[in-house]
Amino acid sequence: MKKGMILAVVVCIMTAITIPVQAGDLYDELCNMNRKQILFELFQKESFSHDDSVDLDSLFAENDFTDTMIANEFRSFQNEGLVPVAEAYQEVFVYHQVNNLLPEEVLEQIDLNQLEEAIREKAGIFGGSVRLVGIFVDEIGQGACRWAAPNAFLVMYVVREVLGTFPADGAGLVTQVI
């Protein structure tokens, strides 16, 4: 009986090791690129889903991205004229819908002044290009954080650095249409 259980455990472990981890589309698209190419692609991406956030966590675990590298590559991206020029007013929204709920009790526990200062400090590496406009939530914590930024990735990065993880509900660049 013990041998059967040990064999079953060994088979389970071997199966877990040999089954590849499912990566998302974003990871598959970027995993074979160098760090500079990855950032170039991320700077151009207009929205990020929940799956993209998981993929970003994997990409960041595998690559040694630093504040300096990301800020320098963004400045280079700007200097080369690769930052898309908005035809109208644009903003980035970080969503709080399913995984990123911000219920009132959570907001009460957070020192909002300290959070705002940490956001300002981290966003400062982008030379004024990224700033938090406000946090908008309903009574159950659904809503969005509104940012002024040239692309969604910079906002995702600031949130990751301040809160420790990419926003699980994703983010999107929106442009005013009326």
Side-chain angles (χ1 to χ4, degrees), residues 1-175:
M1 185 70 151
K2 287 183 182 181
K3 287 182 183 181
M5 288 182 70
I6 292 171
L7 181 59
V9 169
V10 170
V11 169
C12 287
I13 291 171
M14 293 302 293
T15 302
I17 291 171
T18 59
I19 295 175
V21 175
Q22 291 289 341
D25 292 339
L26 182 64
Y27 181 86
D28 289 343
E29 179 184 331
L30 303 178
C31 71
N32 293 321
M33 295 181 180
N34 67 44
R35 293 182 302 173
K36 188 173 184 170
Q37 292 170 318
I38 291 171
L39 291 175
F40 178 80
E41 294 297 324
L42 293 175
F43 292 151
Q44 295 186 83
K45 191 164 172 52
E46 291 187 4
S47 64
F48 293 87
S49 68
H50 167 73
D51 291 338
D52 293 339
S53 294
V54 172
D55 289 350
L56 284 172
D57 284 330
S58 296
L59 286 166
F60 269 67
E62 294 173 8
N63 293 277
D64 189 24
F65 293 112
T66 64
D67 283 355
T68 303
M69 177 186 203
I70 292 172
N72 288 342
E73 288 304 317
F74 179 68
R75 277 191 285 283
S76 174
F77 194 73
Q78 282 181 309
N79 292 339
E80 292 176 25
L82 300 174
V83 174
V85 177
E87 295 178 20
Y89 189 72
Q90 71 180 32
E91 292 185 343
V92 174
F93 286 93
V94 174
Y95 305 109
H96 303 283
Q97 298 169 330
V98 178
N99 301 302
N100 279 2
L101 296 181
L102 295 172
E104 192 173 313
E105 59 270 8
V106 170
L107 290 174
E108 288 173 359
Q109 294 171 2
I110 297 172
D111 181 348
L112 294 178
N113 292 330
Q114 202 171 25
L115 177 63
E116 185 177 4
E117 181 60 35
I119 288 170
R120 255 199 230 114
E121 182 179 328
K122 187 50 66 179
I125 68 171
F126 301 112
S129 295
V130 178
R131 66 181 172 78
L132 177 65
V133 176
I135 298 172
F136 304 88
V137 294
D138 65 12
E139 66 278 348
I140 63 170
Q142 289 183 329
C145 291
R146 183 175 151 211
W147 296 75
N151 65 54
F153 173 71
L154 296 181
V155 171
M156 296 279 286
Y157 180 73
V158 169
V159 171
R160 176 190 184 266
E161 293 300 297
V162 171
L163 299 180
T165 186
F166 285 104
D169 284 326
L173 178 71
V174 295
T175 304

